[in-house]
Each structure stands twice: as structure tokens, then as C-alpha cells.
């Protein structure tokens, strides 16, 4: 199978990269240079018309949207997600889509409030405050869900795509926007912290660390990326 990951360092493509590494799949990468606004270029829009990162080229065509990509990979390869007929599949899906549609979307709005609240700084600040209050509750729900899951569909010894997706969101909550991350403390969510710490020890995460310059503790004590190519912002 020929797979091409269109990525920018420390963007949502990081989630897909770690999943590809966990699955042991051969893939190549194509940098989307955010410093040159390459995501808005005609060439990239021909791959992903939404102009968002990532996109994954597959023999069956291009897939975009992070949740769709990782679920497709897991189902196609029979790993990293409960099987479609498994009793825990419904629980897994509800939390995967909660992470993708609610938590990830909410974080994106805090990163780029001008896209949603307009140019007025007070409106941007109000939006961020509202979202951060909600996101604190969201992470509490996820920490509780991890404890209650009993490793059936979340946080097991063998990580699944939900674990990796959430670990990346925790990383970005602690980093972005710079100087405005005091609302988030990963250690106040002990189950999530333990899951993130375990992921940091895995070869797949270490491969992503090297490829994207993420530093030694990308999830539990993250630092800004220093990638060998491209820009995270």
C-alpha cells in the first residue's frame, strides 16, 4: 500500500503519523509549509479542498479530517480500535467523535478566535474564556471515562487511535497560544497523565519526536516543536 501523509510539524497530522508508526505501515510525507501558507495553495487545495492539515493519500483516494483518517486506518488494518462488531465499539466511537468534534474543534477556536469572533479583541477574549471553561469540563469527562473504561476501549496496554488523538490535544492545550495556557494542567487529570506518560515511552512516539522535533516529553511536559523542516504555525 502506498500512503502519503501531507503534514506540518506539530499539527493534527502528528496524530496520523503516530498511528501510522504504531501500525508499522510504510508511508512517505509531503510537507505543507505553513510559513508560506501552502495550505491555501491551489496545489494543496486539490488534495484537501478544505485547506486543512492533514490529508492522507491512499490507493482508494485521498482522506482528510483527522478522525476519519485514523478510524479508516484502524479498521482497514484490524488494530488500534475495537472491531465493528465488538461490544465496546459504541463506547469507543462516542468518545472518539467527542474528542474530534467537540474537544479538537473547541481548541481550534481558542487558537484562532478571530476566525469565529471577528477582529474585536474583547470578543476574542470572551470566546476564549467561554471555551476554556467548557474544555476543562471536557477533559474532566475524559479522565473519568478513562477510569471507567477498564481498558476495554481507552488507555489499554496497546494504545488505540483515541489515546493518541487525545494525547496530542493535551499537548496543544499546554502549549498554544503561547503565554495563555494557564487554564490547563495535565496533572489535574491523573488517568490521562498516566496514559500520556505511557505513550511517550513507545517507539512510535519517539519516531514522531525525531521527525517533528517535539522534545523528550511531548505529552506530559511539552515544549515548543523545533522541527527539521517546516513550521508548526
Amino acid at each position: 500500500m502506498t500512503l502519503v501523509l501531507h503534514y506540518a510539524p506539530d499539527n493534527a497530522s502528528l496524530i496520523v503519523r503516530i498511528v501510522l508508526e504504531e501500525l508499522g505501515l510504510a508511508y512517505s510525507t509531503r510537507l505543507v509549509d505553513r510559513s508560506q501558507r501552502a495550505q491555501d495553495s491551489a496545489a494543496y487545495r486539490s488534495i484537501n479542498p478544505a485547506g486543512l492539515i492533514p490529508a492522507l493519500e491512499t490507493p482508494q483516494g485521498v482522506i482528510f479530517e483527522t478522525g476519519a483518517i485514523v478510524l479508516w486506518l484502524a479498521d482497514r488494518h484490524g488494530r488500534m480500535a475495537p472491531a465493528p462488531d465488538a461490544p465496546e465499539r459504541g463506547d469507543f466511537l462516542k468518545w472518539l467523535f467527542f474528542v474530534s468534534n467537540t474537544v479538537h474543534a473547541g481548541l481550534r477556536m481558542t487558537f484562532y478566535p478571530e476566525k469565529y469572533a471577528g477582529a474585536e479583541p474583547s470578543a476574542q477574549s470572551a470566546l476564549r474564556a467561554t471555551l476554556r471553561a467548557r474544555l476543562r469540563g471536557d477533559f474532566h469527562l475524559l479522565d473519568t471515562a478513562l477510569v471507567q473504561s477498564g481498558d476495554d476501549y481507552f488507555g489499554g496496554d496497546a494504545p488505540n487511535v483515541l489515546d493518541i488523538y487525545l494525547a496530542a490535544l493535551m499537548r496543544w492545550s499546554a502549549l498554544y497560544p503561547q503565554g495563555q495556557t494557564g487554564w490547563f494542567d495535565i496533572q489535574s487529570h491523573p488517568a490521562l497523565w498516566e496514559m500520556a506518560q505511557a505513550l511517550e515511552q513507545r517507539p512510535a512516539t519517539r519516531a514522531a519526536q525525531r521527525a517533528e522535533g517535539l522534545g523528550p516529553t511531548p505529552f506530559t511536559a511539552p515544549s515548543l516543536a523545533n522541527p527539521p523542516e517546516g513550521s508548526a504555525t
Side-chain angles (χ1 to χ4, degrees):
M1 179 183 293
T2 301
L3 298 171
V4 180
L5 175 62
H6 294 262
Y7 91 104
D10 208 15
N11 278 231
S13 48
L14 171 63
I15 300 159
V16 180
R17 184 192 288 272
I18 297 176
V19 170
L20 290 166
E21 292 286 344
E22 284 284 355
L23 291 170
L25 300 178
Y27 67 99
S28 60
T29 58
R30 299 289 184 273
L31 176 68
V32 184
D33 191 349
R34 292 193 60 180
S35 68
Q36 303 299 315
R37 299 296 301 175
Q39 67 269 34
D40 295 329
S41 67
Y44 187 66
R45 292 275 181 161
S46 71
I47 305 262
N48 182 352
L52 299 174
I53 302 166
L56 185 70
E57 292 187 60
T58 82
Q60 285 72 48
V62 175
I63 307 174
F64 51 85
E65 291 296 314
T66 305
I69 295 171
V70 297
L71 186 58
W72 182 87
L73 286 168
D75 284 352
R76 184 171 181 83
H77 296 280
R79 290 176 51 206
M80 301 193 71
D85 60 351
E88 62 271 22
R89 176 73 169 196
D91 285 327
F92 163 78
L93 286 176
K94 73 186 180 188
W95 288 114
L96 176 64
F97 280 84
F98 178 75
V99 164
S100 175
N101 295 353
T102 300
V103 183
H104 193 177
L107 279 176
R108 180 176 172 78
M109 293 172 74
T110 70
F111 300 158
Y112 309 107
E114 70 281 359
K115 295 180 182 291
Y116 305 94
E120 177 58 45
S122 62
Q124 294 179 20
S125 295
L127 176 64
R128 277 183 165 148
T130 298
L131 287 167
R132 286 168 178 165
R134 193 197 75 192
L135 286 163
R136 279 193 291 268
D138 293 344
F139 281 113
H140 176 72
L141 286 176
L142 286 158
D143 195 66
T144 301
L146 177 52
V147 173
Q148 294 175 344
S149 75
D151 297 345
D152 285 342
Y153 57 89
F154 193 8
D157 291 337
N160 66 33
V161 299
L162 174 57
D163 305 343
I164 293 165
Y165 203 144
L166 182 52
L169 296 186
M170 292 189 290
R171 169 183 171 78
W172 300 325
S173 296
L175 286 179
Y176 302 111
Q178 293 183 53
Q180 300 184 46
T181 59
W183 66 273
F184 180 76
D185 176 13
I186 187 175
Q187 294 197 35
S188 67
H189 308 292
L192 295 178
W193 189 89
E194 287 185 16
M195 181 195 74
Q197 186 180 48
L199 285 174
E200 287 177 342
Q201 311 308 312
R202 296 189 64 83
T205 301
R206 290 175 177 166
Q209 288 172 257
R210 293 189 296 271
E212 302 194 14
L214 302 182
T217 51
F219 303 133
T220 59
S223 58
L224 293 173
N226 182 25
E229 65 172 1
S231 171
T233 57

PDB file of all heavy atoms in Angstrom, residues 98-116:
ATOM      1  N   PHE A  98     -16.409  12.566  20.212  1.00  0.00           N
ATOM      2  CA  PHE A  98     -16.399  13.660  21.176  1.00  0.00           C
ATOM      3  C   PHE A  98     -15.055  14.392  21.140  1.00  0.00           C
ATOM      4  O   PHE A  98     -15.003  15.626  21.116  1.00  0.00           O
ATOM      5  CB  PHE A  98     -16.674  13.108  22.585  1.00  0.00           C
ATOM      6  CG  PHE A  98     -16.640  14.141  23.671  1.00  0.00           C
ATOM      7  CD1 PHE A  98     -17.686  15.038  23.824  1.00  0.00           C
ATOM      8  CD2 PHE A  98     -15.575  14.204  24.559  1.00  0.00           C
ATOM      9  CE1 PHE A  98     -17.662  15.998  24.836  1.00  0.00           C
ATOM     10  CE2 PHE A  98     -15.547  15.155  25.573  1.00  0.00           C
ATOM     11  CZ  PHE A  98     -16.590  16.052  25.704  1.00  0.00           C
ATOM     12  N   VAL A  99     -13.975  13.618  21.114  1.00  0.00           N
ATOM     13  CA  VAL A  99     -12.642  14.223  21.043  1.00  0.00           C
ATOM     14  C   VAL A  99     -12.465  14.994  19.745  1.00  0.00           C
ATOM     15  O   VAL A  99     -11.946  16.117  19.725  1.00  0.00           O
ATOM     16  CB  VAL A  99     -11.568  13.130  21.209  1.00  0.00           C
ATOM     17  CG1 VAL A  99     -10.198  13.617  20.773  1.00  0.00           C
ATOM     18  CG2 VAL A  99     -11.514  12.664  22.660  1.00  0.00           C
ATOM     19  N   SER A 100     -12.909  14.421  18.645  1.00  0.00           N
ATOM     20  CA  SER A 100     -12.724  15.054  17.338  1.00  0.00           C
ATOM     21  C   SER A 100     -13.641  16.255  17.151  1.00  0.00           C
ATOM     22  O   SER A 100     -13.183  17.345  16.764  1.00  0.00           O
ATOM     23  CB  SER A 100     -12.982  14.018  16.235  1.00  0.00           C
ATOM     24  OG  SER A 100     -12.927  14.610  14.966  1.00  0.00           O
ATOM     25  N   ASN A 101     -14.921  16.076  17.409  1.00  0.00           N
ATOM     26  CA  ASN A 101     -15.918  17.099  17.061  1.00  0.00           C
ATOM     27  C   ASN A 101     -16.097  18.176  18.122  1.00  0.00           C
ATOM     28  O   ASN A 101     -16.517  19.298  17.798  1.00  0.00           O
ATOM     29  CB  ASN A 101     -17.276  16.446  16.811  1.00  0.00           C
ATOM     30  CG  ASN A 101     -17.267  15.528  15.611  1.00  0.00           C
ATOM     31  OD1 ASN A 101     -16.298  15.459  14.874  1.00  0.00           O
ATOM     32  ND2 ASN A 101     -18.357  14.816  15.418  1.00  0.00           N
ATOM     33  N   THR A 102     -15.801  17.833  19.382  1.00  0.00           N
ATOM     34  CA  THR A 102     -16.033  18.780  20.475  1.00  0.00           C
ATOM     35  C   THR A 102     -14.721  19.347  21.006  1.00  0.00           C
ATOM     36  O   THR A 102     -14.501  20.559  20.996  1.00  0.00           O
ATOM     37  CB  THR A 102     -16.831  18.114  21.603  1.00  0.00           C
ATOM     38  OG1 THR A 102     -18.094  17.676  21.077  1.00  0.00           O
ATOM     39  CG2 THR A 102     -17.078  19.083  22.746  1.00  0.00           C
ATOM     40  N   VAL A 103     -13.820  18.470  21.464  1.00  0.00           N
ATOM     41  CA  VAL A 103     -12.586  18.960  22.094  1.00  0.00           C
ATOM     42  C   VAL A 103     -11.652  19.579  21.060  1.00  0.00           C
ATOM     43  O   VAL A 103     -11.190  20.717  21.231  1.00  0.00           O
ATOM     44  CB  VAL A 103     -11.889  17.831  22.878  1.00  0.00           C
ATOM     45  CG1 VAL A 103     -10.648  18.383  23.585  1.00  0.00           C
ATOM     46  CG2 VAL A 103     -12.843  17.209  23.888  1.00  0.00           C
ATOM     47  N   HIS A 104     -11.374  18.860  19.997  1.00  0.00           N
ATOM     48  CA  HIS A 104     -10.470  19.395  18.972  1.00  0.00           C
ATOM     49  C   HIS A 104     -11.043  20.675  18.355  1.00  0.00           C
ATOM     50  O   HIS A 104     -10.335  21.678  18.199  1.00  0.00           O
ATOM     51  CB  HIS A 104     -10.224  18.340  17.899  1.00  0.00           C
ATOM     52  CG  HIS A 104      -9.084  18.657  16.984  1.00  0.00           C
ATOM     53  ND1 HIS A 104      -8.674  17.796  15.985  1.00  0.00           N
ATOM     54  CD2 HIS A 104      -8.268  19.738  16.877  1.00  0.00           C
ATOM     55  CE1 HIS A 104      -7.658  18.337  15.336  1.00  0.00           C
ATOM     56  NE2 HIS A 104      -7.392  19.518  15.851  1.00  0.00           N
ATOM     57  N   ALA A 105     -12.322  20.644  18.037  1.00  0.00           N
ATOM     58  CA  ALA A 105     -12.946  21.833  17.444  1.00  0.00           C
ATOM     59  C   ALA A 105     -12.903  23.013  18.412  1.00  0.00           C
ATOM     60  O   ALA A 105     -12.648  24.156  18.014  1.00  0.00           O
ATOM     61  CB  ALA A 105     -14.380  21.517  17.051  1.00  0.00           C
ATOM     62  N   GLY A 106     -13.137  22.759  19.699  1.00  0.00           N
ATOM     63  CA  GLY A 106     -13.085  23.837  20.677  1.00  0.00           C
ATOM     64  C   GLY A 106     -11.688  24.420  20.820  1.00  0.00           C
ATOM     65  O   GLY A 106     -11.516  25.639  20.905  1.00  0.00           O
ATOM     66  N   LEU A 107     -10.678  23.543  20.835  1.00  0.00           N
ATOM     67  CA  LEU A 107      -9.306  24.039  20.911  1.00  0.00           C
ATOM     68  C   LEU A 107      -8.959  24.892  19.701  1.00  0.00           C
ATOM     69  O   LEU A 107      -8.319  25.940  19.827  1.00  0.00           O
ATOM     70  CB  LEU A 107      -8.333  22.870  21.019  1.00  0.00           C
ATOM     71  CG  LEU A 107      -8.156  22.246  22.403  1.00  0.00           C
ATOM     72  CD1 LEU A 107      -7.230  21.050  22.318  1.00  0.00           C
ATOM     73  CD2 LEU A 107      -7.620  23.269  23.394  1.00  0.00           C
ATOM     74  N   ARG A 108      -9.359  24.441  18.542  1.00  0.00           N
ATOM     75  CA  ARG A 108      -9.065  25.223  17.337  1.00  0.00           C
ATOM     76  C   ARG A 108      -9.657  26.633  17.446  1.00  0.00           C
ATOM     77  O   ARG A 108      -9.031  27.609  17.029  1.00  0.00           O
ATOM     78  CB  ARG A 108      -9.615  24.502  16.100  1.00  0.00           C
ATOM     79  CG  ARG A 108      -9.357  25.260  14.806  1.00  0.00           C
ATOM     80  CD  ARG A 108      -9.821  24.486  13.578  1.00  0.00           C
ATOM     81  NE  ARG A 108      -9.738  25.316  12.395  1.00  0.00           N
ATOM     82  CZ  ARG A 108      -8.625  25.593  11.726  1.00  0.00           C
ATOM     83  NH1 ARG A 108      -7.481  25.065  12.111  1.00  0.00           N
ATOM     84  NH2 ARG A 108      -8.641  26.371  10.664  1.00  0.00           N
ATOM     85  N   MET A 109     -10.831  26.749  18.016  1.00  0.00           N
ATOM     86  CA  MET A 109     -11.444  28.068  18.169  1.00  0.00           C
ATOM     87  C   MET A 109     -10.659  28.939  19.150  1.00  0.00           C
ATOM     88  O   MET A 109     -10.590  30.161  18.983  1.00  0.00           O
ATOM     89  CB  MET A 109     -12.894  27.918  18.617  1.00  0.00           C
ATOM     90  CG  MET A 109     -13.783  27.290  17.552  1.00  0.00           C
ATOM     91  SD  MET A 109     -15.450  26.908  18.152  1.00  0.00           S
ATOM     92  CE  MET A 109     -16.154  28.558  18.211  1.00  0.00           C
ATOM     93  N   THR A 110     -10.036  28.331  20.170  1.00  0.00           N
ATOM     94  CA  THR A 110      -9.215  29.125  21.086  1.00  0.00           C
ATOM     95  C   THR A 110      -7.906  29.539  20.433  1.00  0.00           C
ATOM     96  O   THR A 110      -7.324  30.571  20.787  1.00  0.00           O
ATOM     97  CB  THR A 110      -8.911  28.374  22.396  1.00  0.00           C
ATOM     98  OG1 THR A 110      -8.016  27.292  22.161  1.00  0.00           O
ATOM     99  CG2 THR A 110     -10.179  27.875  23.055  1.00  0.00           C
ATOM    100  N   PHE A 111      -7.415  28.738  19.491  1.00  0.00           N
ATOM    101  CA  PHE A 111      -6.169  29.079  18.800  1.00  0.00           C
ATOM    102  C   PHE A 111      -6.386  30.203  17.783  1.00  0.00           C
ATOM    103  O   PHE A 111      -5.494  31.022  17.562  1.00  0.00           O
ATOM    104  CB  PHE A 111      -5.603  27.864  18.078  1.00  0.00           C
ATOM    105  CG  PHE A 111      -5.261  26.690  18.959  1.00  0.00           C
ATOM    106  CD1 PHE A 111      -5.189  25.410  18.425  1.00  0.00           C
ATOM    107  CD2 PHE A 111      -5.011  26.846  20.317  1.00  0.00           C
ATOM    108  CE1 PHE A 111      -4.877  24.323  19.220  1.00  0.00           C
ATOM    109  CE2 PHE A 111      -4.704  25.760  21.119  1.00  0.00           C
ATOM    110  CZ  PHE A 111      -4.635  24.494  20.566  1.00  0.00           C
ATOM    111  N   TYR A 112      -7.549  30.205  17.157  1.00  0.00           N
ATOM    112  CA  TYR A 112      -7.833  31.171  16.089  1.00  0.00           C
ATOM    113  C   TYR A 112      -9.162  31.875  16.350  1.00  0.00           C
ATOM    114  O   TYR A 112     -10.097  31.794  15.554  1.00  0.00           O
ATOM    115  CB  TYR A 112      -7.883  30.462  14.728  1.00  0.00           C
ATOM    116  CG  TYR A 112      -6.678  29.587  14.451  1.00  0.00           C
ATOM    117  CD1 TYR A 112      -6.787  28.191  14.505  1.00  0.00           C
ATOM    118  CD2 TYR A 112      -5.449  30.141  14.136  1.00  0.00           C
ATOM    119  CE1 TYR A 112      -5.687  27.384  14.251  1.00  0.00           C
ATOM    120  CE2 TYR A 112      -4.346  29.343  13.878  1.00  0.00           C
ATOM    121  CZ  TYR A 112      -4.471  27.968  13.944  1.00  0.00           C
ATOM    122  OH  TYR A 112      -3.387  27.172  13.701  1.00  0.00           O
ATOM    123  N   PRO A 113      -9.293  32.595  17.471  1.00  0.00           N
ATOM    124  CA  PRO A 113     -10.595  33.184  17.804  1.00  0.00           C
ATOM    125  C   PRO A 113     -11.057  34.222  16.798  1.00  0.00           C
ATOM    126  O   PRO A 113     -12.262  34.460  16.663  1.00  0.00           O
ATOM    127  CB  PRO A 113     -10.352  33.806  19.185  1.00  0.00           C
ATOM    128  CG  PRO A 113      -8.883  34.072  19.224  1.00  0.00           C
ATOM    129  CD  PRO A 113      -8.269  32.923  18.466  1.00  0.00           C
ATOM    130  N   GLU A 114     -10.114  34.830  16.082  1.00  0.00           N
ATOM    131  CA  GLU A 114     -10.501  35.840  15.092  1.00  0.00           C
ATOM    132  C   GLU A 114     -11.329  35.250  13.965  1.00  0.00           C
ATOM    133  O   GLU A 114     -12.129  35.959  13.340  1.00  0.00           O
ATOM    134  CB  GLU A 114      -9.243  36.518  14.523  1.00  0.00           C
ATOM    135  CG  GLU A 114      -8.376  35.654  13.627  1.00  0.00           C
ATOM    136  CD  GLU A 114      -7.463  34.682  14.377  1.00  0.00           C
ATOM    137  OE1 GLU A 114      -7.485  34.682  15.633  1.00  0.00           O
ATOM    138  OE2 GLU A 114      -6.735  33.930  13.715  1.00  0.00           O
ATOM    139  N   LYS A 115     -11.182  33.957  13.720  1.00  0.00           N
ATOM    140  CA  LYS A 115     -11.968  33.308  12.660  1.00  0.00           C
ATOM    141  C   LYS A 115     -13.430  33.142  13.066  1.00  0.00           C
ATOM    142  O   LYS A 115     -14.294  32.940  12.215  1.00  0.00           O
ATOM    143  CB  LYS A 115     -11.372  31.932  12.324  1.00  0.00           C
ATOM    144  CG  LYS A 115      -9.977  31.975  11.708  1.00  0.00           C
ATOM    145  CD  LYS A 115      -9.491  30.577  11.424  1.00  0.00           C
ATOM    146  CE  LYS A 115      -8.082  30.553  10.842  1.00  0.00           C
ATOM    147  NZ  LYS A 115      -8.041  31.105   9.480  1.00  0.00           N
ATOM    148  N   TYR A 116     -13.691  33.184  14.371  1.00  0.00           N
ATOM    149  CA  TYR A 116     -15.025  32.882  14.883  1.00  0.00           C
ATOM    150  C   TYR A 116     -15.683  34.070  15.585  1.00  0.00           C
ATOM    151  O   TYR A 116     -16.915  34.151  15.634  1.00  0.00           O
ATOM    152  CB  TYR A 116     -14.939  31.690  15.851  1.00  0.00           C
ATOM    153  CG  TYR A 116     -14.281  30.491  15.225  1.00  0.00           C
ATOM    154  CD1 TYR A 116     -12.915  30.255  15.384  1.00  0.00           C
ATOM    155  CD2 TYR A 116     -15.002  29.607  14.422  1.00  0.00           C
ATOM    156  CE1 TYR A 116     -12.302  29.164  14.793  1.00  0.00           C
ATOM    157  CE2 TYR A 116     -14.390  28.524  13.827  1.00  0.00           C
ATOM    158  CZ  TYR A 116     -13.039  28.308  14.008  1.00  0.00           C
ATOM    159  OH  TYR A 116     -12.424  27.237  13.401  1.00  0.00           O
TER     160      TYR A 116
END
